[in-house]
Amino acid sequence: PRPLGSAPMGGSDAIARLAGETGGRAVTNANEPAERLSQTIADASAYYLLGYTPAHDVADGKFHRIEVKVKRSGMRVLARKGYWAPSADETKAAPARPVEPGLADALATLVEPSAGRPWDVWIGTTRGDRGRTRVLVSWESSGRSDRAPMQMDVVPLDGSARVAGAAVRALAPAQAVASSAAATFDLDPGTKVAMRFGIKTAGGEVLDRWDWAMVVPALDPAPLALSTARFLRARSPLEARALAAGAVPVPAASRRFRVTDRVQVEIDCYVAGDARPDVTAHLLNVRGEPLMALAVVPAARDAGADNAGAANSAAAANSAAAANSAAAVRVALPLSSLAVGTYVVRLDARVGDRSIQDRSAFRIVP
């Protein structure tokens, strides 16, 4: 923006140059644009689009002038004065950047049903007792429903729609005020199950119901394996202190966090024998490009720490799962220094010549 009058090295000079080189019309020194706007509308209502191909392929990176002429007299032509040819380097296709393996699968976990659900639900696995795999399910309110959900039914069904050796777990109405709740099931590795979920109101009205098919992974015995990464969230200074002291809250079901949250990612690494795995972590952007390395520390345990308001039974199940792990580590996410957007945490575990990775996506929301 410039005032009326001349403005050397800018203002009307810059506008006139821009219009002249692109075949436009410069409107300067006029506080009444109606007449010029009418001319612009007239120009845009009838025009010719001409395509031009050079007789020879020119890739010199220079400006090439073009002049458009018409045979009819009395005509005024407004057209581009020319074009910039690409350079030889610009005409070469850039080498394809290798796609981060597993990135699409990690981002797919953030996809939500179009209608939304009243509660966010997370499913993870850790090593259970006697060679079985422990399936953990946590849930919390998503804030997308006008009617308050008060009960969550979770039933693992086998291929014949039978309960797969575990009882139905439900969130009683008295527990609905908790920030999150969880259920655990010890299932045989390799079992194909469908986790059937049902969300109800206090009066028993079904708000949502769906199935989640999965194959129970084998984590024991395994030369090198990882549990599902668990996001542990603290929303208050009290919860943050408990988390730093080694408390094991119920894993956050939602992957939407605010910059004021304190979030740590915890994962169990299972190895054969007494070997100690080397675990590293990196923060990636949505394209899989590394942004920064993250510090990995052993997950300290404090059995007496508060569990951030979660159900006691769920916390005890999580603690038991951690006790069975060969090595549990935590990674603190620097949410306060991140912009609103989608990110991926990549965890790499290595023992000797064996390596395994886990990728978990999350969002920073306003």
Side-chain angles (χ1 to χ4, degrees):
R2 297 281 182 172
L4 295 178
S6 62
M9 304 303 294
S12 59
D13 291 343
I15 293 176
R17 180 175 179 181
L18 180 63
E21 292 183 357
T22 60
R25 187 190 300 273
V27 180
T28 60
N29 292 333
N31 276 338
E32 297 293 337
E35 179 181 356
R36 302 296 180 90
L37 181 60
S38 298
Q39 295 175 350
T40 302
I41 294 175
D43 291 343
S45 63
Y47 60 90
Y48 291 94
L49 179 63
L50 305 179
Y52 168 76
T53 302
H56 303 283
D57 290 337
V58 179
D60 53 10
K62 297 180 179 180
F63 184 81
H64 294 262
R65 184 171 299 278
I66 296 176
E67 185 177 3
V68 179
K69 298 180 179 180
V70 295
K71 293 182 178 180
R72 183 179 300 180
S73 61
M75 295 292 100
R76 178 174 178 236
V77 177
L78 295 176
R80 290 180 57 182
K81 303 301 182 181
Y83 69 96
W84 283 95
S87 65
D89 292 338
E90 291 173 334
T91 59
K92 297 178 182 178
R97 184 178 60 85
V99 179
E100 172 74 14
L103 181 66
D105 292 338
L107 295 175
T109 61
L110 299 180
V111 178
E112 301 172 353
S114 56
R117 288 198 170 107
W119 279 352
D120 291 316
V121 177
W122 170 83
I123 303 175
T125 58
T126 66
R127 181 182 291 177
D129 297 328
R130 297 181 296 278
R132 308 186 85 190
T133 297
R134 181 159 296 158
V135 179
L136 297 87
V137 182
S138 69
W139 57 88
E140 60 188 80
S141 175
S142 65
R144 301 188 190 95
S145 177
D146 296 333
R147 294 173 292 180
M150 297 294 289
Q151 180 172 308
M152 166 73 85
D153 294 334
V154 186
V155 188
L157 304 175
D158 63 13
S160 302
R162 296 182 300 234
V163 176
V168 175
R169 302 296 178 91
L171 175 65
Q175 296 173 305
V177 296
S179 59
S180 58
T184 60
F185 307 91
D186 280 2
L187 304 176
D188 293 329
T191 303
K192 294 182 180 180
V193 298
M195 305 299 293
R196 177 160 294 177
F197 299 96
I199 302 178
K200 302 177 182 179
T201 63
E205 179 186 0
V206 177
L207 297 179
D208 200 355
R209 179 176 292 162
W210 73 98
D211 290 352
W212 179 273
M214 64 177 296
V215 177
V216 180
L219 300 177
D220 185 17
L224 180 60
L226 294 175
S227 70
T228 307
R230 303 179 291 274
F231 284 70
L232 310 180
R233 177 186 57 215
R235 288 173 167 167
S236 68
L238 179 62
E239 293 178 355
R241 287 194 295 269
L243 187 61
V248 188
V250 171
S254 173
R255 289 296 178 268
R256 299 183 302 276
F257 304 113
R258 300 183 184 277
V259 294
T260 54
D261 292 336
R262 299 294 183 269
V263 178
Q264 294 183 6
V265 180
E266 183 178 82
I267 197 167
D268 303 331
C269 184
Y270 308 111
V271 295
D274 298 329
R276 300 296 297 177
D278 178 25
V279 183
T280 59
H282 289 82
L283 183 69
L284 314 179
N285 62 18
V286 72
R287 295 183 296 275
E289 300 165 342
L291 299 178
M292 68 177 72
L294 302 175
V296 179
V297 298
R301 298 299 182 202
D302 182 3
D306 178 67
N307 284 295
N312 291 334
S313 60
N318 266 355
S319 297
N324 289 330
S325 65
V329 297
R330 284 188 180 182
V331 177
L333 299 182
L335 302 189
S336 60
S337 62
L338 298 180
V340 172
T342 301
Y343 302 88
V344 175
V345 178
R346 186 184 68 201
L347 294 164
D348 299 83
R350 179 178 297 275
V351 174
D353 58 352
R354 293 182 179 272
S355 63
I356 190 171
Q357 293 182 330
D358 176 89
R359 296 168 184 83
S360 302
F362 67 95
R363 286 196 177 104
I364 301 295
V365 298

